[in-house]
């Protein structure tokens, strides 16, 4: 429920209009980027062609033909999907144990793991590059999946934990009375009950993996390079080729924007780390 | 056997990730700390040599810029994103029928990667291509908006892009907070004829204190992570005007071949994070569950 100053019909409509105008402002940079992606590089830099131009698919064709977009996209999908699955596979039993079987110290461990996320990743980059190169793991999908999983694991566990905590302990205990084993409890009781929360967590983890640029750009060259690397590679230092860069960026964020629109509830739940239920 | 297994499940599940984090985070930090006390340049050397790297660091004007940028950027970004998020939340909390869709649109930037955000804003802020050129094209020849290439103002463009990215997120947090405030108290205040703005400042906002804390933690986390945003938006330039400690460190380690400087700047960064952020994180998580 909201507190509303005056609830006249006109007041409500004008507030809604205002909220939509702000929404358009918010969406404008994305809109501008999508628009630019349909312009030639020459049109893209001409202000008089801001809204009026001859749309072209040249940038997208160029991207798929000369830049091997699909290989980068495939790498992005594979690494993000597997990292999310593994993070959930470790996170669900972990959060389950902490929510229903708490041992002393587990929460401290979790807090400690969360706090490591605050440390500047730059401090770890140099030794990490050094080590992965000498182990022969540099530029492999395996490495990227492991890294993506590990950096998101603390948040995944934390979010799942907040959802699991809301499930009454009695339900789990009733299952134990009936002689269901741990795996059965997780599969038959916990997962169905917390399904919404698990989906939101998975979506958040997927988005974070998909967007991750720090590690994926710096720990890959070609074989495991993701869409972030493709954008990075198209950033001409002089700031030229905006049409092409916009097309690459649009193609990289498109899946997230579309996915997010169809899973609005999970997107909001996930992006607010479960604060909005 | 199964009993033992069930009892120790939490530890068993946590153990591998615990060990990996232990090695990767602390092992590497330990290595960085050690190297920061050596004369390492292009390759790491391991003979300790006192505070020489820190002396060089504090003598470097570039580090001065990077270090003060962190505070300018962090402060403005966190404060403005919170204020804007609060205003947007109050706006959306006015019985707007299409609230769900608007909320998603406000949140969208948060779902974009920082390099895409940087790219989109680089376009808009570029004086020759974006906003300035467009407004001039409409006939306002004197319109100037060249922050991106102005060394004194460039850091504020990073602030703008970062605020755009996360104020929708703050809005969603605050919106949830507004809904959780006890409606009885608000109704009572309204019955007493207290003006709406007083209801907000005296009752609702104080009741949302824990949410301010959560927002602060996530935003400071983002501020520390904005490395990619700076790289994509300004590349640290013009010159080194928008360098942050993270980009300084990256430049030293990977393009200047000065590992010692990189390591010492990383240690200073770490010290800042520990003194400012970690205490908040701990107090927040502890009070939440006790």
């Amino acid at each position: 429920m909201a507190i509303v100053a005056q609830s006249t019909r006109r007041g409500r409509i004008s507030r809604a209009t205002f909220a939509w105008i702000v929404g358009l402002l918010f969406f404008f940079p994305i809109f501008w980027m999508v628009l630019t992606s349909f312009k030639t590089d020459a049109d893209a830099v001409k202000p008089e062609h801001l809204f009026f131009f001859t749309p072209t698919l040249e940038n997208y064709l160029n991207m798929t033909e000369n830049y091997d977009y699909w290989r980068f996209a495939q790498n992005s999908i594979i690494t993000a999907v597997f990292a999310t699955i593994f993070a959930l596979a470790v996170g669900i039993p972990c959060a389950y144990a902490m929510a229903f079987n708490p041992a002393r110290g587990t929460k401290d461990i979790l807090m400690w793991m969360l706090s490591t996320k605050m440390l500047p990743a730059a401090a770890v980059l140099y030794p990490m590059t050094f080590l992965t190169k000498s182990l022969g793991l540099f530029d492999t999908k395996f490495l990227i999946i492991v890294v993506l999983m590990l950096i998101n694991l603390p948040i995944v566990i934390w979010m799942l934990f907040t959802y699991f905590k809301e499930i009454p302990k009695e339900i789990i205990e009733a299952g134990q009375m009936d002689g269901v084993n741990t795996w059965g409890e997780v599969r038959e009781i916990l997962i169905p009950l917390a399904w919404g929360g698990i989906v939101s967590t998975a979506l958040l983890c997927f988005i974070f993996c998909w967007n991750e640029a720090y590690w994926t750009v710096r720990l890959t060259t070609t074989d495991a390079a993701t869409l972030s690397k493709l954008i990075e590679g198209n950033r001409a230092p002089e700031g030229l080729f905006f049409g092409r860069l916009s097309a690459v960026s649009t193609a990289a964020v498109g899946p997230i924007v579309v996915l997010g629109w169809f899973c609005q509830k999970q997107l909001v739940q996930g992006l607010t780390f479960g604060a909005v239920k | 056997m199964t009993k033992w297994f069930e009892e120790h499940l939490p530890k068993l599940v946590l153990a591998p990730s615990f060990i990996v984090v232990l090695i990767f985070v602390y092992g590497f930090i330990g290595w960085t700390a050690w190297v920061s006390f050596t004369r390492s340049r292009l390759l790491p050397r391991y003979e300790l040599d006192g505070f020489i790297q820190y002396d060089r660091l504090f003598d470097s004007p570039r580090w001065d810029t990077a270090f003060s940028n962190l505070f300018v950027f962090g402060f403005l970004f966190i404060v403005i994103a919170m204020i804007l998020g609060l205003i947007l939340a109050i706006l959306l909390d006015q019985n707007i029928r299409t609230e769900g869709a608007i909320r998603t649109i406000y949140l969208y930037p948060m779902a974009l990667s920082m390099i895409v955000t940087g790219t989109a804003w680089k376009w808009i802020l570029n004086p020759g291509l974006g906003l300035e050129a467009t407004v001039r094209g409409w006939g306002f020849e004197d319109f100037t908006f060249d922050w991106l290439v102005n060394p004194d103002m460039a850091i504020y463009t990073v602030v703008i892009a970062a605020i755009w990215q996360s104020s929708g997120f703050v809005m969603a947090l605050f919106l949830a907070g507004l809904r959780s405030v006890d409606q009885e108290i608000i109704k009572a205040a309204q019955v007493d004829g207290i003006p709406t703005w007083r209801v907000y400042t005296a009752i609702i906002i104080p009741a949302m204190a824990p949410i301010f804390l959560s927002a602060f933690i996530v935003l400071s986390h983002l501020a520390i992570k904005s490395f990619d945003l700076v790289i994509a938006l300004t590349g640290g330039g013009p010159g080194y005007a928008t360098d942050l400690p993270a980009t300084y460190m990256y430049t030293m380690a990977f393009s200047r071949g000065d590992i010692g400087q990189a390591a010492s700047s990383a240690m200073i960064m770490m010290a800042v994070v520990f003194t400012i952020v970690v205490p908040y994180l701990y107090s927040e998580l502890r009070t939440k569950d006790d």
Side-chain angles (χ1 to χ4, degrees):
Chain A
M1 265 306 290
I3 88 158
V4 181
Q6 279 97 32
S7 232
T8 60
R9 202 181 131 74
R10 242 184 57 213
R12 221 171 54 212
I13 289 172
S14 66
R15 279 191 292 266
T17 316
F18 183 66
W20 271 103
I21 291 170
V22 175
L24 287 180
L25 282 176
F26 258 85
F27 202 67
F28 186 70
I30 304 174
F31 173 70
W32 196 333
M33 188 176 77
V34 175
L35 212 57
T36 310
S37 72
F38 290 104
K39 297 177 190 174
T40 59
D41 283 331
D43 274 357
V45 296
K46 289 190 192 120
E48 63 269 26
H49 290 302
L50 176 60
F51 293 113
F52 307 101
F53 59 94
T54 327
T56 168
L57 284 175
E58 185 195 324
N59 293 316
Y60 287 97
L61 294 174
N62 186 8
M63 179 177 83
T64 44
E65 280 163 17
N66 303 342
Y67 289 94
D68 220 356
Y69 167 79
W70 295 111
R71 188 170 52 87
F72 290 98
Q74 199 189 344
N75 282 343
S76 270
I77 293 169
I78 292 175
T79 52
V81 166
F82 279 99
T84 305
I85 291 174
F86 290 146
L88 287 178
V90 177
I92 289 175
C94 230
Y96 162 81
M98 288 194 310
F100 300 109
N101 223 344
R104 258 184 335 116
T106 33
K107 198 166 285 163
D108 291 318
I109 292 176
L110 182 71
M111 278 196 273
W112 167 76
M113 281 179 80
L114 271 173
S115 73
T116 59
K117 276 208 64 88
M118 310 292 272
L119 297 173
V124 184
L125 183 61
Y126 189 83
M128 185 78 175
T129 318
F130 196 69
L131 183 76
T132 51
K133 274 187 177 156
S134 56
L135 288 177
L137 286 172
F138 191 83
D139 195 23
T140 58
K141 290 193 200 62
F142 173 76
L143 173 71
I144 297 303
I145 291 171
V146 171
V147 167
L148 290 178
M149 180 197 120
L150 283 177
I151 58 179
N152 287 307
L153 196 57
I155 283 180
V156 166
I157 296 178
W158 179 255
M159 258 186 83
L160 288 172
F161 175 69
T162 60
Y163 284 111
F164 290 177
K165 245 185 1 185
E166 286 176 7
I167 298 172
K169 242 190 165 128
E170 291 74 34
I171 298 182
I172 303 289
E173 274 161 10
Q176 277 167 345
M177 294 288 191
D178 291 348
V180 183
N181 62 15
T182 311
W183 169 233
E185 276 171 34
V186 171
R187 200 185 45 191
E188 307 290 343
I189 304 170
L190 185 74
I191 292 182
L193 279 177
W195 185 244
I198 293 173
V199 173
S200 300
T201 311
L203 185 70
L204 177 77
C205 184
F206 180 81
I207 289 176
F208 279 180
C209 293
W210 183 274
N211 289 341
E212 163 59 35
Y214 189 80
W215 295 106
T216 48
V217 167
R218 288 166 188 92
L219 293 178
T220 61
T221 46
T222 47
D223 289 348
T226 62
L227 286 170
S228 302
K229 184 90 178 175
L230 182 66
I231 303 177
E232 189 76 8
N234 271 286
R235 285 198 303 108
E238 345 55 297
L240 291 170
F241 311 123
F242 265 111
R244 197 168 78 196
L245 184 57
S246 300
V248 171
S249 305
T250 306
V253 299
I256 297 291
V257 172
V258 174
L259 189 69
W261 191 257
F262 287 110
C263 315
Q264 287 188 26
K265 193 172 157 246
Q266 282 76 22
L267 183 82
V268 174
Q269 273 188 9
L271 284 178
T272 52
F273 306 101
V276 179
K277 294 253 155 72
Chain B
M1 182 63 199
T2 18
K3 186 99 181 57
W4 180 90
F5 184 76
E6 279 182 26
E7 266 172 22
H8 291 82
L9 183 69
K11 281 169 206 147
L12 283 177
V13 175
L14 270 174
S17 23
F18 183 85
I19 292 164
V20 171
V21 174
L22 203 65
I23 295 170
F24 277 71
V25 177
Y26 288 91
F28 287 168
I29 288 173
W31 184 89
T32 307
W34 184 282
V35 169
S36 77
F37 290 108
T38 67
R39 283 181 181 273
S40 303
R41 277 290 176 112
L42 193 58
L43 288 170
R45 290 164 56 175
Y46 298 104
E47 310 85 53
L48 294 180
D49 203 353
F51 285 90
I52 178 159
Q53 296 295 351
Y54 293 90
D55 290 339
R56 284 179 61 208
L57 190 68
F58 294 130
D59 284 341
S60 152
R62 182 168 182 171
W63 169 256
D64 267 359
T65 311
F67 198 62
S68 58
N69 273 347
L70 177 67
F71 291 95
V72 171
F73 168 73
F75 178 77
L76 288 176
F77 163 61
I78 292 174
V79 169
I80 299 176
M82 280 215 200
I83 294 172
L84 204 62
L86 184 63
I87 294 172
L88 290 176
I90 293 174
L91 173 68
L92 264 201
D93 194 30
Q94 306 288 329
N95 273 342
I96 290 170
R97 217 168 276 150
T98 46
E99 182 199 303
I102 301 180
R103 192 175 60 175
T104 307
I105 291 174
Y106 288 2
L107 252 177
Y108 259 148
M110 183 77 175
L112 302 187
S113 75
M114 282 194 173
I115 17 177
V116 172
T117 306
T119 307
W121 278 93
K122 190 179 185 174
W123 212 108
I124 292 172
L125 296 167
N126 188 314
L129 311 168
L131 201 63
E132 184 184 288
T134 308
V135 175
R136 282 190 181 178
W138 289 340
F140 303 94
E141 292 295 334
D142 294 333
F143 181 81
T144 307
F145 188 64
D146 61 350
W147 287 9
L148 191 67
V149 292
N150 179 343
D152 293 330
M153 304 303 278
I155 188 70
Y156 301 113
T157 63
V158 184
V159 175
I160 293 174
I163 289 172
W164 175 75
Q165 180 147 47
S166 17
S167 53
F169 156 77
V170 183
M171 179 277 306
L173 276 192
F174 282 147
L175 192 57
L178 286 174
R179 304 272 152 92
S180 66
V181 175
D182 188 354
Q183 291 300 314
E184 295 301 315
I185 302 176
I186 296 172
K187 274 196 201 121
Q190 281 177 323
V191 168
D192 285 349
I194 295 169
T196 309
W197 68 270
R198 282 287 295 161
V199 176
Y200 274 109
T201 52
I203 300 171
I204 299 179
I205 293 173
M208 294 203 302
I211 296 173
F212 277 90
L213 203 55
S214 322
F216 173 81
I217 289 169
V218 177
L219 290 178
S220 41
H221 174 77
L222 288 174
I224 297 162
K225 299 261 148 163
S226 18
F227 176 85
D228 288 303
L229 184 63
V230 176
I231 294 287
L233 187 64
T234 63
Y240 51 76
T242 52
D243 247 358
L244 288 178
T247 56
Y248 177 89
M249 180 203 146
Y250 186 75
T251 315
M252 288 302 152
F254 291 93
S255 30
R256 289 283 194 87
D258 200 338
I259 296 172
Q261 278 296 284
S264 57
S265 56
M267 294 318 289
I268 301 287
M269 250 154 78
M270 209 110 69
V272 171
V273 174
F274 265 114
T275 48
I276 297 177
V277 179
V278 172
Y280 277 103
L281 185 72
Y282 271 73
S283 67
E284 156 83 338
L285 294 180
R286 279 198 184 280
T287 48
K288 211 180 229 170
D289 298 298
D290 291 343

